[in-house]
Amino acid sequence: MKPIKHFRHANSKISLKVKIWLYFIMFTVVVFALLWIFLIFFLERFYEDMRVRSAAKSMIAIADVYNEIDRSEKYSNAMEIVLDDEQSKKLADIVEETAVEEDLCVLVVDKYSREVAKKHVFNDCLIHNPNDKRRILADSIDSAEGHVISYRFQNILIYGCTLGDGAYPDGYLLINLGLVPVGATVDVIKRQLMTITVILIAFAFIISLYLSNRISAPIDRITKSAERLAKGDFTTKFDGRGYLEAKKLADTLTYAEKELSKVDMMQRDLIANVSHDLRTPLTMLKAYAEMIRDLSGDNPVKRNEHLEIIISETDRLALLVNDMLDLSKLESGRQKLTPSEFGIRGKLSEIIERFKGLSEKNGYTIHFTPDEERTVYCDTVKIEQVIYNLINNAINYTGDDKQVFVRQINTDDGVLVEVEDTGDGIDKDKIKLIFDKYYRSENHKREVVGTGLGLSIVKAVLKLHNYDYGVRSTIGKGSTFWFKISDVKKQQ
């Protein structure tokens, strides 16, 4: 358990709870810092730019309305602007509306400085003062043709533009914009913001503390449960209440716990099975070695008989160790395929022929139903191992009639190989476990040859080849194990 704690603390000395709290406080401080910087350095400039843009838009809007009036209808003679009642009302309405909404003073005059439309909103207005108006209009007339003009007098900003043709203007539009000093307003806002800042930072401190506890609590619970799991407690409950990510993590760890529990149980079964399989031959080896030493050393017949038993048990031990090593290599991916072409019918006949001695000795009958020869492309040695293990499994589990059936069935897309026994069959709920490592059926009848790892090796080899495989079973009638070789070449 110590390495786990060391790993955790080596990567981060600050807990998630503290980090969340610090990040929340830092975010709050940065927000208020930016707000204060804006208030102190940019508020007045922002306010002025906003008012200037507003005045410019208002001027363009009024000029557009005026210019929409047909030029031929605006003149009764070449000396002055003459608008009918509808046109005058339209111009007056836009002047009134714009001045009131934007807090502006607006003045529209003809080219002889005579008023056409106006709106006076506040007192300190230059364009409605006769003296200032003449000066401003004089500057406007002298300005570049068609250009917008602007003047700044302390806190008053004047905008103006020509109306009509820039070269021969009909008149002029003037807008008086008041810029209210914001210093006093800023002082008031500062005092209010100071109070709000203190309150919100305190509030943020409390909220961040609550949120950090709320967010880290599920992870703390899951971590403690994971530590118990690491100690081998497979009954640990993972509580992921709180939020979706914690729930997913808890579900994942619960699934991992079930798989680890299953693997642990299989490993215990493996140790028990291997111990049992090793103990019997080792006991016999020791017993017969002692018999040779004490009893049959001088009797050639007895000595040879005992030595044969010792050799047989040694072969059994070697077979068990080899099967365990093969399974380990297959499942770790360290064993690679060496594919080659060969005839599957000939290979099946050859393997069944090798079982002939066992069949004659123990009364088994292996029936082979071949199909036409078909060339396949796969790992010869490993496919032989699969066929051997399936036939050996059928011999171990077949019925009292000791019948085993092997069939080759050629299909359009491959070769199906079936091995059938006449034993007690496999329960439906056990079929999905039959290929698992270390699993042994309760209907096991005899152990003629093999180590009990045969079907696990079959599964590993066929998965390595990416071949389909499975089992069909009927209680009381037997089981049929099958696999399909898909890499084939039809005979010409």
Side-chain angles (χ1 to χ4, degrees):
M1 202 56 234
K2 289 183 179 179
I4 295 176
K5 292 183 177 179
H6 174 73
F7 177 80
R8 184 179 67 219
H9 294 301
N11 282 272
S12 177
K13 295 183 179 180
I14 302 177
S15 68
L16 176 65
K17 183 187 301 184
V18 174
K19 282 187 176 182
I20 293 173
W21 178 78
L22 286 175
Y23 291 153
F24 199 94
I25 292 297
M26 287 171 59
F27 173 77
T28 305
V29 170
V30 169
V31 169
F32 278 104
L34 292 175
L35 187 59
W36 277 94
I37 291 171
F38 173 79
L39 179 64
I40 295 172
F41 296 103
F42 301 106
L43 180 61
E44 186 170 356
R45 184 182 303 173
F46 177 78
Y47 165 74
E48 184 174 325
D49 290 344
M50 182 183 67
R51 292 288 288 161
V52 167
R53 287 195 298 270
S54 175
K57 289 181 180 179
S58 299
M59 182 184 66
I60 294 171
I62 295 172
D64 288 344
V65 170
Y66 178 84
N67 291 329
E68 285 176 359
I69 301 172
D70 187 54
R71 183 177 180 85
S72 62
E73 296 178 358
K74 287 187 283 192
Y75 286 93
S76 61
N77 56 59
M79 301 299 295
E80 59 181 337
I81 301 174
V82 178
L83 303 176
D84 59 26
D85 292 341
E86 183 180 351
Q87 294 167 346
S88 296
K89 185 177 184 307
K90 186 176 181 180
L91 183 61
D93 287 344
I94 187 64
V95 168
E96 175 84 15
E97 180 182 347
T98 302
V100 173
E101 287 185 359
E102 303 295 339
D103 194 24
L104 307 169
C105 287
V106 181
L107 177 63
V108 178
V109 298
D110 62 15
K111 61 184 178 181
Y112 300 109
S113 302
R114 291 175 295 193
E115 294 181 356
V116 176
K118 67 178 181 178
K119 180 61 179 178
H120 190 188
V121 176
F122 53 88
N123 293 327
D124 296 330
C125 175
L126 298 180
I127 62 175
H128 289 104
N129 184 299
N131 295 327
D132 292 328
K133 180 177 73 172
R134 284 193 293 271
R135 177 167 55 82
I136 293 170
L137 285 172
D139 292 340
S140 301
I141 293 170
D142 292 338
S143 66
E145 296 178 352
H147 286 196
V148 174
I149 60 170
S150 63
Y151 300 94
R152 176 74 180 266
F153 300 97
Q154 296 180 350
N155 292 326
I156 296 177
L157 184 65
I158 307 296
Y159 263 83
C161 69
T162 58
L163 297 175
D165 191 347
Y168 304 99
D170 299 339
Y172 302 92
L173 168 63
L174 299 178
I175 291 179
N176 191 116
L177 171 66
L179 300 175
V180 179
V182 297
T185 304
V186 170
D187 290 338
V188 173
I189 295 176
K190 282 181 181 178
R191 287 193 292 271
Q192 294 178 340
L193 186 59
M194 179 63 73
T195 303
I196 294 173
T197 300
V198 173
I199 294 173
L200 289 183
I201 287 181
F203 188 67
F205 180 89
I206 297 172
I207 291 295
S208 62
L209 192 60
Y210 170 76
L211 288 178
S212 63
N213 286 326
R214 180 83 175 181
I215 293 173
S216 62
I219 298 178
D220 288 339
R221 292 196 303 267
I222 292 173
T223 300
K224 291 178 181 178
S225 298
E227 289 174 349
R228 292 197 298 273
L229 175 61
K231 292 178 180 178
D233 182 2
F234 297 113
T235 62
T236 303
K237 302 297 182 183
F238 291 93
D239 184 3
R241 291 173 300 169
Y243 45 91
L244 180 61
E245 289 77 8
K247 178 67 168 56
K248 288 182 177 179
L249 177 59
D251 291 344
T252 302
L253 288 173
T254 300
Y255 174 76
E257 179 185 45
K258 292 179 180 178
E259 293 301 310
L260 288 173
S261 177
K262 187 186 298 184
V263 170
D264 181 70
M265 185 177 298
M266 288 181 176
Q267 287 176 340
R268 292 176 188 273
D269 290 343
L270 170 66
I271 293 173
N273 291 333
V274 170
S275 298
H276 177 270
D277 289 340
L278 289 175
R279 183 172 56 189
T280 301
L282 286 174
T283 301
M284 293 183 68
L285 285 173
K286 181 180 178 182
Y288 280 97
E290 289 176 347
M291 290 175 66
I292 293 173
R293 182 193 64 189
D294 299 333
L295 301 175
S296 61
D298 296 331
N299 187 335
V301 176
K302 289 288 185 182
R303 183 177 65 240
N304 290 337
E305 180 181 341
H306 294 164
L307 286 174
E308 285 296 329
I309 294 175
I310 291 176
I311 293 171
S312 175
E313 293 300 322
T314 304
D315 290 340
R316 183 179 175 187
L317 282 175
L319 182 61
L320 175 62
V321 172
N322 289 334
D323 277 358
M324 293 177 63
L325 289 175
D326 287 345
L327 184 59
S328 176
K329 290 178 182 178
L330 286 167
E331 293 186 337
S332 66
R334 288 182 288 120
Q335 198 165 65
K336 304 301 181 182
L337 295 177
T338 307
S340 61
E341 291 186 356
F342 62 93
I344 187 62
R345 174 175 174 171
K347 181 61 65 177
L348 287 168
S349 299
E350 176 186 335
I351 294 172
I352 292 170
E353 184 66 24
R354 294 176 192 172
F355 276 92
K356 185 176 181 180
L358 177 65
S359 301
E360 293 176 350
K361 179 180 179 181
N362 296 287
Y364 292 95
T365 303
I366 301 177
H367 304 274
F368 177 41
T369 306
D371 205 333
E372 294 181 1
E373 183 64 280
R374 184 75 66 88
T375 300
V376 298
Y377 183 74
C378 51
D379 192 309
T380 308
V381 175
K382 290 183 174 56
I383 291 299
E384 278 187 6
Q385 193 175 20
V386 168
I387 298 169
Y388 262 112
N389 284 331
L390 289 180
I391 295 176
N392 184 66
N393 181 76
I395 290 173
N396 291 339
Y397 286 88
T398 197
D400 293 334
D401 59 0
K402 295 187 177 182
Q403 303 294 308
V404 174
F405 301 88
V406 180
R407 288 183 288 270
Q408 173 200 350
I409 304 171
N410 293 346
T411 64
D412 291 338
D413 57 348
V415 176
L416 183 66
V417 177
E418 295 182 345
V419 179
E420 180 183 357
D421 63 62
T422 61
D424 293 336
I426 308 168
D427 295 332
K428 288 185 178 180
D429 59 336
K430 299 295 194 318
I431 287 180
K432 61 182 179 180
L433 303 174
I434 200 69
F435 286 100
D436 286 354
K437 289 181 296 185
Y438 323 130
Y439 180 80
R440 287 174 182 256
S441 173
E442 296 174 356
N443 296 330
H444 181 268
K445 284 185 174 294
R446 61 189 66 82
E447 185 73 33
V448 178
V449 288
T451 62
L453 297 175
L455 292 182
S456 299
I457 294 174
V458 167
K459 175 183 176 181
V461 170
L462 295 177
K463 286 184 68 176
L464 195 62
H465 280 83
N466 199 28
Y467 290 164
D468 291 333
Y469 63 94
V471 57
R472 303 186 303 271
S473 184
T474 303
I475 297 297
K477 292 186 178 181
S479 304
T480 301
F481 288 80
W482 61 269
F483 69 95
K484 188 174 185 178
I485 302 175
S486 56
D487 301 310
V488 299
K489 183 171 69 173
K490 294 182 180 181
Q491 297 294 321
Q492 300 296 329

